[in-house]
Amino acid sequence: MPKKAKPAGTGKEEGPVPCKQLKMEAAGRPSTLNFNHPSGLFESLISPIKTETFFKEFWEQKPLIIQRDEPALATYYQSLFKLSDLKSLCSRGSLYYGRDINVCRCVNGKKKVLNKDGKVHFLQLRKDFDHKRATIQFHQPQRFKDELWKIQEKLECYFGSLVGSNVYMTPAGSQGLPPHYDDVEVFILQLEGEKHWRLYHPTVPLAREYSVEAEDRIGRPTHEVTLKPGDLLYFPRGTIHQADTPPGLAHSTHVTISTYQNNSWGDFLLDTISGLVLDTAKEDMEFRAGIPRQLLLQVETAAVATRRLSGFLRKLADRLEGNNVLLSSDMKKDFVMNRLPPYYEGDGAELSTPGGQVPRLDSIVRLQFKDHVVLTVGPDQSRSDETQDKMVYVYHSLKNRRALHMMGNEETECHGLRFPLSHVDALKQIWNSSAISVKDLKLTTDEEKESLVLSLWTECLIQCALTESLKNKC
């Protein structure tokens, strides 16, 4: 990632302070995670902290460490990924240095990359691990490990944001990465062995980019802890951190689960403002008037231009407050296009083949896979002229390829449907109802109603029943 100059740290250095640490007793606690619902999964992940407390006191604010003396949970965490799993994955011949695996070590405060070229062979990987004391960083293991897929798919539903992961395997007495901060919210799950963590005050709170920090800039740790299997560490983006495996112990394996990259109000504003400006310019001639001559040649923006821009922003704000059109097109589309498909066991036929009765006018329908579908309004992408009509788009992730998740692959494509803007109210009815009769949809003709639900059914987005009496079973 690009690195920019950072402001120097400010404020008085302080010694390590007691971190919020929670001890869990084994008795009466769940041994694994709750996958019944996205909110249940997150609540069980941070247990015994309550969700409300987490977002009020810790999210984007300060680190949280949960140390749990629970053997069953530790065993479950260990099953998520082990160093020995790499042997079978490498034997497939599909892992490559750089793309899937990085081999590195922190030397004198700098990251030294020890990657070879081409495919990864486990014997060479193990040699670097044992003799060079190198850390193995495995990118996006949810592509291969079903349980991580299951966890991250639920978390993407919960956060409404992409959730990636990396596994770090570090030998005893070694450190893989120098002190740095990330542009993501980070949840550390300790899987094998022990890992010693030091956290520092951010120099860039809620940072928007990754950056390495020099040891002489970061001061003393604010938090310091050694994690064991079953423990969890959370810290906000921008938190400076470094970690090592203590000497004399077995190797350490942890998984970093990360989210909320480029998911700020600033990003949302950039996503929505361009469409708002274009729509307003179609109706307001002032927005179409030319800027003053030679404005772009001026070193400083003239006061008159600043006043005009301020006035335009106020007009946009007024328009935005009175606008009930669905906001955000690009962010919604990007999220759905790149996220994990729903977790399934077996061949996943329910995601690609419509099931049940074909919907008719007398059917009761309801949306399924709701957490994997977004509704948005945007210009007609099939036309290139300036008089593009608005269309309503239904994007979904049912056909996404798990193997490409978070890999930045250009092969990804967006799956979904588009409808005339006149269909938006009917679609909102389906979205906002637990079940609804097709004949009650807000469309002009019965043909439009049947065509709408048939399109959604063909994409496996709705289920249906034939009569009102079956509404509760739909």
Side-chain angles (χ1 to χ4, degrees), residues 422-437:
S422 58
H423 286 48
V424 68
D425 288 336
L427 287 164
K428 286 181 179 179
Q429 284 179 281
I430 296 173
W431 251 251
N432 296 328
S433 302
S434 58
I436 188 170
S437 173

Side-chain angles (χ1 to χ4, degrees), residues 40-60:
L41 182 279
F42 184 74
E43 185 174 349
S44 64
L45 187 70
I46 64 170
S47 175
I49 283 285
K50 297 299 182 184
T51 302
E52 181 180 356
T53 301
F54 174 79
F55 285 102
K56 182 179 180 181
E57 298 183 13
F58 298 98
W59 176 255
E60 296 189 329

Side-chain angles (χ1 to χ4, degrees), residues 148-221:
L148 285 172
W149 171 22
K150 191 176 179 181
I151 291 171
Q152 289 173 234
E153 180 262 325
K154 279 288 189 291
L155 288 177
E156 287 187 332
C157 293
Y158 183 74
F159 284 110
S161 177
L162 295 176
V163 175
S165 68
N166 286 308
V167 168
Y168 296 86
M169 293 151 279
T170 304
S174 184
Q175 180 170 332
L177 300 174
H180 66 280
Y181 59 79
D182 298 298
D183 57 347
V184 287
E185 300 295 305
V186 172
F187 296 86
I188 304 293
L189 279 60
Q190 184 65 26
L191 309 183
E192 292 184 302
E194 299 181 8
K195 183 65 69 73
H196 170 238
W197 288 85
R198 285 170 286 172
L199 310 181
Y200 306 81
H201 278 304
T203 52
V204 183
L206 301 183
R208 291 182 53 82
E209 60 185 10
Y210 165 92
S211 183
V212 173
E213 287 281 30
E215 288 271 8
D216 59 0
R217 286 170 47 89
I218 60 179
R220 298 172 62 187

Side-chain angles (χ1 to χ4, degrees), residues 2-17:
K3 299 176 178 60
K4 299 180 181 179
K6 303 173 294 299
T10 58
K12 184 173 63 177
E13 291 187 1
E14 299 177 355
V17 298

Side-chain angles (χ1 to χ4, degrees), residues 80-81 99-100 137-145 147-149 151-153 155-156 162-168 184-189 191 254-259 340 405-407:
L80 295 178
F81 199 97
R99 185 191 71 180
D100 304 294
Q137 180 187 16
F138 183 40
H139 301 307
Q140 310 305 338
Q142 71 277 7
R143 296 175 292 148
F144 305 96
K145 298 290 286 186
E147 200 68 12
L148 285 172
W149 171 22
I151 291 171
Q152 289 173 234
E153 180 262 325
L155 288 177
E156 287 187 332
L162 295 176
V163 175
S165 68
N166 286 308
V167 168
Y168 296 86
V184 287
E185 300 295 305
V186 172
F187 296 86
I188 304 293
L189 279 60
L191 309 183
H254 76 265
V255 61
T256 297
I257 295 178
S258 57
T259 189
L340 283 163
H405 185 241
M406 298 296 289
M407 295 302 290

